[in-house]
Amino acid sequence: MDVFSRLFDDLTGWLTIGIIVFMLVMMAYLFGMFITKSSSHDKK
């Protein structure tokens, strides 16, 4: 756990967490767009 406390002592830990969260949000957004596109394609 000492590594984690040292990681969050400076900005690098928060930057890494922010990048990971940002990537997850973007993937979820693109996946949602893909699902809505395919579902609307089925209705036609």
Side-chain angles (χ1 to χ4, degrees), residues 32-44:
M33 273 179 51
F34 180 72
I35 286 175
T36 49
K37 200 181 291 182
S38 59
S39 63
S40 65
H41 183 71
D42 284 339
K43 287 175 184 171
K44 284 185 176 175

Side-chain angles (χ1 to χ4, degrees), residues 13-25:
W14 293 112
L15 195 68
T16 311
I17 294 292
I19 290 171
I20 290 171
V21 168
F22 179 72
M23 282 175 61
L24 283 172
V25 168

Side-chain angles (χ1 to χ4, degrees), residues 5-33:
S5 61
R6 229 182 298 140
L7 185 70
F8 290 113
D9 244 6
D10 51 11
L11 209 64
T12 345
W14 293 112
L15 195 68
T16 311
I17 294 292
I19 290 171
I20 290 171
V21 168
F22 179 72
M23 282 175 61
L24 283 172
V25 168
M26 287 300 293
M27 280 178 62
Y29 176 70
L30 289 171
F31 196 62
M33 273 179 51

